[in-house]
């Protein structure tokens, strides 16, 4: 709408009884609602429920939290306090670790501040004045941040007795914040630099309505219940400990079996699609990493060592080994495409602060493949990978979205190569009518990529599969094939993973299924429980018959009551319990209990084997 010069937007909203408005766009620029128009302008009001409105609300919540902290901790110092997806945080230094009781006290103080309904007041001052203010307060973090800004004029916001350096905008007054919750405290280095002081990052969330806040808090409770680190320990799947080293996973028998099931599935499906298995070394000379561009563009994520005065890099990716396989002899156009597959172990130097269970580790296995093809074959090869991704996601029951990540600021290769590679990915998606988004500047340093983001059972998105189109590494390594005209030509290289990091994918599976895996994925599909020691021999006989039928089975040997043994199996999320006693041994059968369904009655061993095979769906 068009509004005339001299109108105060807050007064306009109040006069026209516009509900839920907390800010505005004036000629496309977001401003505080207390803004007065200096000329006739196009004005769009921002609703508190909109994406932009929630971001403003949460940014203001961070300031209100900082005010509460200043009230409770007089010597507190502050770094930054932005809005983030679904919430906000503030990095603070109060001289000691914060406790859960501190969080409760801060939240109580925040409620007092919102009840007082202090206005957010913006003032523009010189950079010199702002520096003087924060130096007098003794807040060296704010001083450093202000000093790093080139502008000679800066803005300050004040609510009550709290003043902060900030560009804004903010809600009109603290009373607009009604539905919020402080969630947790974590360590954070000042400006993300691990050589700088460690601060405390206080996380919170805020919503426009109580219903939205309650729904989000319930979602967080569900996330906690599904946490793969918690379930990994409870289900005895894996462990990570300081004696071995952060970011290095120790797989226990059931976790290793889960990996084996997934990797067996992968091998079978790759063979069906014409891939050949290869394997590269985990150490390659540093000189190769220099040729590839990894040394200049990725070395901060790599580990290096020296053998007999020769420098080697531990591989963070599998592509160089596959390139060496391709280069091992002269190739003809008749051989192409060549599809090389490896479940390759890679190492990446991740900072300790970002390590997170199986989701972010320092050693992991990728279901990595590299396709070497002609330019004419490229479209079909990309579509083949897209079809493979769809098949795999259907098997694991995941919906997914795709986006094309384009050239990053730090990259190698010519503009023409990047344009050709990006167009190849776009064409493959559009030719098959697959929807996608563009993710500007997030490609690999050597080529653009299609990123596949799967959705889990509670709506979260996870990055797993990726398809990268690369004209650059074939050029750097002088890869060739002899074309039908007898002349050497340059192949195109497609880097791709279907599940991605096996560790990360297992973490996603654990959280998606809350550890309650479908039968075909369950590390233990059935547990045999003898009602007493008298039937141990028959239990062993049942166990051997099921093992022979390739059913993953174990025997409960703890000296407990039947009800407790069944309870243990429930807690371990084992799909089937087979109780054996006098009746079962006489009829060469088992009494079957299915998880979440209860007693299914007496079945012969052959009937149970058939049932398991049918229910597994023939995936393996």
């Amino acid at each position: 709408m068009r509004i005339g010069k001299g109108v105060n937007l807050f007064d306009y909203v109040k006069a026209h009884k516009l509900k839920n408005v907390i800010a505005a766009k004036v000629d496309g620029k977001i401003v505080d609602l207390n803004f007065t128009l200096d000329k006739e302008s196009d004005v769009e009001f921002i609703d508190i429920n909109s994406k932009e409105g929630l971001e403003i609300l949460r940014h203001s919540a961070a300031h209100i939290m900082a005010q509460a902290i200043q009230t409770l901790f007089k010597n507190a110092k502050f770094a930054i306090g932005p809005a983030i997806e679904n919430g906000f945080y503030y990095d603070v230094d109060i001289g000691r670790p914060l406790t859960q009781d501190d969080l409760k006290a801060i939240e109580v103080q925040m409620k007092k501040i919102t009840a007082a309904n202090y206005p957010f007041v913006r003032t523009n001052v010189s950079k010199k004045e702002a520096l003087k203010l924060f130096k007098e307060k003794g807040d060296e973090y704010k001083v450093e941040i202000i000093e790093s800004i080139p502008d000679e004029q800066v803005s300050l916001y004040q609510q009550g007795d709290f003043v902060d350096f900030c560009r804004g905008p903010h809600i009109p007054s603290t009373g607009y914040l009604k539905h919020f919750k402080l969630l947790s405290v974590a360590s954070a280095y000042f400006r993300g630099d691990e050589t700088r002081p460690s601060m405390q990052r206080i996380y919170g969330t805020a919503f426009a309505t109580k219903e939205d806040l309650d729904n989000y808090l319930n979602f967080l409770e569900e996330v906690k219940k599904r946490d793969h680190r918690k379930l990994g320990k409870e289900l005895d799947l894996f462990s990570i400990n300081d004696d071995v080293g952060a970011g290095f996973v120790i797989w226990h028998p059931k976790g290793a079996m889960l990996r084996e099931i997934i990797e067996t599935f992968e091998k079978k499906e790759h063979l069906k699609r014409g891939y050949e298995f290869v394997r590269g070394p985990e150490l390659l000379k540093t000189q190769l990493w220099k040729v590839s561009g990894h040394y200049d563009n990725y070395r901060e994520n790599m580990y290096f060592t020296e053998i007999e005065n020769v420098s080697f890099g531990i591989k963070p990716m599998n592509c160089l080994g596959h390139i060496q396989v391709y280069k091992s002899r002269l190739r003809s156009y008749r051989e192409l495409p060549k599809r090389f597959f490896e479940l390759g172990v890679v190492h990446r130097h991740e900072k300790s602060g970002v390590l997170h269970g199986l989701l972010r580790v320092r050693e992991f296995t990728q279901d990595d493949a590299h396709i070497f093809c002609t330019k004419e074959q490229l479209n079909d090869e990309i579509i083949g990978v897209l079809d493979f991704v769809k098949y795999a996601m259907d098997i694991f029951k995941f919906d997914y979205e795709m986006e094309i990540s384009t050239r990053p600021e730090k990259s190698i290769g010519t503009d023409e190569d990047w344009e050709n590679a990006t167009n190849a990915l776009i064409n493959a998606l559009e030719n098959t009518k697959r929807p996608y988004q563009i993710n500007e500047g997030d490609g690999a340093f050597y080529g653009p990529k299609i990123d596949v983001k799967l959705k889990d059972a509670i709506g979260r998105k996870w990055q797993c599969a990726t398809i990268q189109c690369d004209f650059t590494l074939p050029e750097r390594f002088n890869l060739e094939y002899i074309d039908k005209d007898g002349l050497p030509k340059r192949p195109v290289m497609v880097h791709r993973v279907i599940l991605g990091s096996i560790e990360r994918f297992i973490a996603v599976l654990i959280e998606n299924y809350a550890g309650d895996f479908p039968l075909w994925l369950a590390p233990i599909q059935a547990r045999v429980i003898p009602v007493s020691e008298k039937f141990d021999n028959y239990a062993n006989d049942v166990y051997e018959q099921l093992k022979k039928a390739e059913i993953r089975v174990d025997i409960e040997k703890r000296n407990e009551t039947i009800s407790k043994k069944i309870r243990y199996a429930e807690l371990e999320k084992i799909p089937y319990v087979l109780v054996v006693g006098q009746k079962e041994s006489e009829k060469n059968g088992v009494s079957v209990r299915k998880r979440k369904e209860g007693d299914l009655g007496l079945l012969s061993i052959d009937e149970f084997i058939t049932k398991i095979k049918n229910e597994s769906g023939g995936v393996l």
Side-chain angles (χ1 to χ4, degrees):
M1 67 182 69
R2 207 66 187 161
I3 300 179
K5 178 181 177 181
V7 174
N8 178 273
L9 297 180
F10 185 80
D11 292 339
Y12 184 95
V13 167
K14 189 174 180 181
H16 290 80
K17 298 180 180 179
L18 301 179
K19 293 183 178 180
N20 298 325
V21 172
I22 61 168
K25 285 183 183 176
V26 174
D27 294 330
K29 180 183 177 182
I30 299 179
V31 299
D32 300 309
L33 204 55
N34 290 320
F35 186 79
T36 298
L37 298 177
D38 56 6
K39 62 183 178 66
E40 185 179 352
S41 304
D42 287 321
V43 177
E44 178 186 343
F45 290 109
I46 296 175
D47 190 283
I48 193 173
N49 293 286
S50 68
K51 183 179 179 180
E52 290 168 326
L54 284 172
E55 185 174 347
I56 292 167
L57 179 73
R58 289 163 180 163
H59 186 189
S60 301
H63 280 237
I64 292 169
M65 180 173 72
Q67 182 182 357
I69 293 167
Q70 178 182 269
T71 301
L72 296 170
F73 305 96
K74 301 301 182 185
N75 295 320
K77 300 173 184 178
F78 301 91
I80 59 171
I84 56 175
E85 185 178 7
N86 295 320
F88 59 91
Y89 70 79
Y90 219 120
D91 289 345
V92 302
D93 179 357
I94 65 164
R96 68 165 176 80
L98 286 159
T99 66
Q100 285 300 312
D101 286 341
D102 291 327
L103 283 193
K104 291 175 185 176
I106 294 167
E107 198 170 284
V108 167
Q109 190 61 37
M110 287 176 70
K111 289 176 180 176
K112 292 179 181 178
I113 293 167
T114 60
N117 200 26
Y118 298 113
F120 273 86
V121 179
R122 176 187 176 111
T123 55
N124 294 319
V125 300
S126 68
K127 181 176 176 179
K128 184 177 179 181
E129 288 177 272
L131 286 171
K132 181 175 183 292
L133 172 66
F134 286 101
K135 283 177 180 176
E136 288 174 351
K137 290 179 68 174
D139 199 334
E140 65 266 25
Y141 302 112
K142 288 291 183 187
V143 169
E144 182 174 329
I145 292 169
I146 296 169
E147 284 178 337
S148 69
I149 290 172
D151 304 337
E152 289 306 315
Q153 286 284 318
V154 299
S155 56
L156 305 178
Y157 277 84
Q158 179 168 355
Q159 78 272 9
D161 60 355
F162 180 75
V163 180
D164 206 349
F165 160 69
C166 181
R167 290 189 175 94
H170 285 287
I171 54 180
S173 63
T174 59
Y176 279 68
L177 178 66
K178 300 182 184 300
H179 310 291
F180 63 92
K181 180 72 178 174
L182 299 189
L183 300 173
S184 62
V185 181
S187 295
Y189 293 112
F190 178 53
R191 311 199 90 167
D193 184 346
E194 60 187 1
T195 66
R196 306 300 304 277
S198 178
M199 307 185 76
Q200 294 184 83
R201 179 169 293 177
I202 308 176
Y203 287 97
T205 190
F207 286 86
T209 68
K210 184 178 185 301
E211 180 183 10
D212 287 345
L213 176 62
D214 290 343
N215 288 340
Y216 183 68
L217 295 177
N218 290 334
F219 167 79
L220 292 182
E221 286 303 312
E222 186 63 29
V223 168
K224 285 181 185 177
K225 286 191 284 187
R226 292 170 179 265
D227 190 319
H228 74 279
R229 296 166 298 178
K230 171 178 172 287
L231 289 170
K233 183 176 182 180
E234 290 175 0
L235 301 178
D236 196 23
L237 298 175
F238 67 90
S239 59
I240 300 171
N241 66 59
D242 289 338
D243 290 339
V244 171
F248 297 99
V249 184
I250 303 159
W251 292 96
H252 298 200
K254 286 192 279 189
M257 177 55 73
L258 179 58
R259 279 190 64 127
E260 183 63 28
I261 294 163
I262 293 168
E263 291 178 4
T264 299
F265 163 78
E266 289 246 70
K267 290 174 183 176
K268 183 183 83 169
E269 293 301 330
H270 278 83
L271 286 174
K272 281 165 56 176
R273 290 165 173 78
Y275 287 82
E276 299 173 274
F277 293 174
V278 298
R279 185 173 179 83
E282 292 185 36
L283 281 176
L284 296 93
K285 284 185 176 180
T286 299
Q287 179 57 34
L288 273 183
W289 299 112
K290 290 180 178 179
V291 173
S292 69
H294 286 81
Y295 189 81
D296 288 334
N297 294 278
Y298 203 76
R299 72 174 176 268
E300 67 273 11
N301 298 103
M302 295 178 64
Y303 299 101
F304 293 91
T305 189
E306 198 169 276
I307 304 172
E308 297 177 351
N309 298 319
V310 178
S311 178
F312 287 80
I314 301 175
K315 67 176 180 180
M317 304 172 188
N318 298 293
C319 43
L320 268 60
H322 297 192
I323 286 172
Q324 297 307 308
V325 175
Y326 184 89
K327 286 190 68 174
S328 63
R329 62 177 175 82
L330 188 63
R331 303 286 176 177
S332 164
Y333 75 96
R334 294 178 182 276
E335 295 180 66
L336 303 185
K338 297 296 291 184
R339 305 183 187 107
F340 295 147
F341 170 70
E342 176 180 7
L343 283 163
V345 177
V346 298
H347 292 78
R348 295 185 184 174
H349 184 193
E350 302 282 6
K351 293 180 179 179
S352 59
V354 301
L355 297 174
H356 184 84
L358 301 179
L359 290 170
R360 199 76 174 262
V361 291
R362 288 174 171 154
E363 179 193 82
F364 58 95
T365 301
Q366 283 186 305
D367 63 335
D368 218 348
H370 295 88
I371 302 169
F372 301 86
C373 64
T374 68
K375 291 179 181 178
E376 293 74 23
Q377 294 167 333
L378 183 56
N379 186 68
D380 287 344
E381 289 304 308
I382 296 171
I383 290 172
V385 178
L386 290 169
D387 290 342
F388 194 173
V389 169
K390 182 182 186 307
Y391 176 82
M393 294 304 105
D394 286 347
I395 290 292
F396 288 98
K397 309 296 184 190
F398 283 121
D399 292 328
Y400 61 91
E401 298 173 351
M402 289 181 288
E403 61 186 26
I404 292 181
S405 296
T406 60
R407 187 174 190 171
E409 188 173 324
K410 196 173 183 181
S411 62
I412 60 176
T414 66
D415 292 345
E416 181 183 3
D417 284 345
W418 274 88
E419 183 178 358
N420 289 336
T422 305
N423 287 337
L425 298 177
I426 290 172
N427 290 338
L429 289 170
E430 293 188 346
N431 290 344
T432 55
K433 295 181 169 54
R434 286 176 162 99
Y436 65 93
Q437 301 292 323
I438 296 291
N439 181 20
E440 294 287 355
D442 203 32
F445 72 85
Y446 47 80
K449 56 181 179 169
I450 297 173
D451 286 324
V452 179
K453 297 191 173 178
L454 58 83
K455 299 180 192 175
D456 71 10
I458 55 175
R460 294 173 298 176
K461 295 179 183 178
W462 305 89
Q463 170 65 53
C464 290
T466 186
I467 307 165
Q468 302 167 354
C469 188
D470 180 7
F471 285 74
T472 304
L473 290 186
E475 184 73 30
R476 287 197 163 214
F477 283 94
N478 196 29
L479 302 187
E480 293 181 339
Y481 66 92
I482 302 302
D483 205 358
K484 62 184 74 173
D485 57 9
L487 297 175
K489 299 284 175 64
R490 191 80 70 212
V492 184
M493 190 173 173
V494 177
H495 311 241
R496 47 104 299 195
V497 293
I498 302 300
L499 305 182
S501 157
I502 299 300
E503 285 75 3
R504 181 180 176 84
F505 190 73
I506 287 175
V508 174
L509 283 178
I510 293 169
E511 299 203 4
N512 178 63
Y513 290 114
D516 196 2
F517 300 112
L519 184 65
W520 79 274
L521 271 176
I524 299 174
Q525 295 173 311
R527 173 167 290 170
V528 182
I529 300 180
V531 297
S532 70
E533 289 183 8
K534 190 167 75 169
F535 300 101
D536 281 356
N537 288 339
Y538 180 64
N540 288 329
D541 183 49
V542 172
Y543 169 82
E544 291 299 335
Q545 290 186 62
L546 296 180
K547 288 278 285 183
K548 189 175 180 181
E550 298 184 344
I551 291 170
R552 299 185 293 276
V553 60
D554 70 2
I555 302 177
E556 175 59 79
K557 294 183 177 180
R558 281 171 284 197
N559 186 23
E560 297 283 2
T561 63
I562 285 291
S563 60
K564 278 191 176 181
K565 290 177 179 179
I566 292 172
R567 176 63 177 157
Y568 292 148
E570 283 285 321
L571 292 174
E572 292 176 50
K573 303 183 189 292
I574 294 171
Y576 283 99
V577 167
L578 310 178
V579 178
V580 296
Q582 186 69 41
K583 176 179 64 173
E584 290 78 19
S585 63
E586 289 173 353
K587 296 188 176 183
N588 194 33
V590 289
S591 288
V592 181
R593 290 182 61 88
K594 186 174 183 181
R595 178 168 162 74
K596 295 183 178 178
E597 292 185 20
D599 191 4
L600 301 185
L602 181 68
L603 295 178
S604 72
I605 294 172
D606 286 343
E607 286 173 331
F608 179 70
I609 289 171
T610 300
K611 178 178 178 59
I612 287 276
K613 298 291 186 184
N614 290 340
E615 193 175 328
S616 293
V619 178
L620 292 179

